[in-house]
């Protein structure tokens, strides 16, 4: 729980409270997974590029995710495989694919 709260605060410090809360969605059994994947994704993009790029990537349509924004896919995730798909799309983005 403490690690999850730290990751959530790290997300807020990178992308702000409004997008973080939107992306994390309801407080359900998947929220910890959404926090974990969301934080990994945001940190990787900001380490490679910057916060502006991470924000644009999160809210933009993504062809690897059926033209749905990564933030919405993360928010809507009811199974971990959806989060893995977003993570894989992020890796492809960072690799220039």
């Amino acid at each position: 729980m403490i690690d999850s709260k730290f990751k959530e605060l790290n997300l807020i410090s990178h992308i702000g409270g409004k997008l973080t809360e939107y992306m994390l969605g309801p407080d359900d059994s998947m929220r910890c997974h959404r926090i974990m994947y969301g934080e990994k994704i945001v940190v990787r993009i900001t380490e490679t590029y910057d916060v502006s790029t991470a924000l644009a990537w999160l809210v933009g349509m993504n062809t690897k995710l059926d033209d749905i924004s990564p933030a919405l896919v993360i928010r809507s995730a009811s199974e971990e495989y959806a989060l893995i798909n977003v993570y894989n799309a992020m890796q492809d983005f960072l690799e220039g694919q």
Side-chain angles (χ1 to χ4, degrees), residues 25 37 42 47 57 59 64 67 72 76 82-83 87 91:
Y37 279 92
V42 168
E47 286 176 347
W57 189 84
V59 300
K64 305 254 183 204
D67 289 332
L72 180 56
S76 304
L83 300 169
Y87 187 84
Q91 286 185 307

Side-chain angles (χ1 to χ4, degrees), residues 35-93:
I35 291 169
M36 181 182 71
Y37 279 92
E39 195 252 359
K40 283 182 187 179
I41 289 165
V42 168
V43 168
R44 291 271 319 270
I45 295 172
T46 57
E47 286 176 347
T48 304
Y49 294 101
D50 54 28
V51 171
S52 296
T53 303
L55 289 168
W57 189 84
L58 285 168
V59 300
M61 289 179 16
N62 191 301
T63 57
K64 305 254 183 204
L65 302 170
D66 297 325
D67 289 332
I68 301 171
S69 74
L72 180 56
V73 175
I74 292 169
R75 177 185 178 84
S76 304
S78 59
E79 303 270 339
E80 191 171 4
Y81 77 86
L83 300 169
I84 292 169
N85 287 342
V86 178
Y87 187 84
N88 290 338
M90 178 270 305
Q91 286 185 307
D92 288 348
F93 169 70

Side-chain angles (χ1 to χ4, degrees), residues 7-46:
K7 289 179 183 299
E8 184 174 348
L9 290 172
N10 195 28
L11 268 173
I12 291 168
S13 74
H14 279 82
I15 62 172
K18 287 185 180 184
L19 182 55
T20 297
E21 280 308 307
Y22 171 79
M23 188 170 72
L24 297 182
D27 191 7
D28 59 12
S29 63
M30 285 298 295
R31 188 169 174 99
C32 285
H33 293 286
R34 289 192 294 267
I35 291 169
M36 181 182 71
Y37 279 92
E39 195 252 359
K40 283 182 187 179
I41 289 165
V42 168
V43 168
R44 291 271 319 270
I45 295 172
T46 57

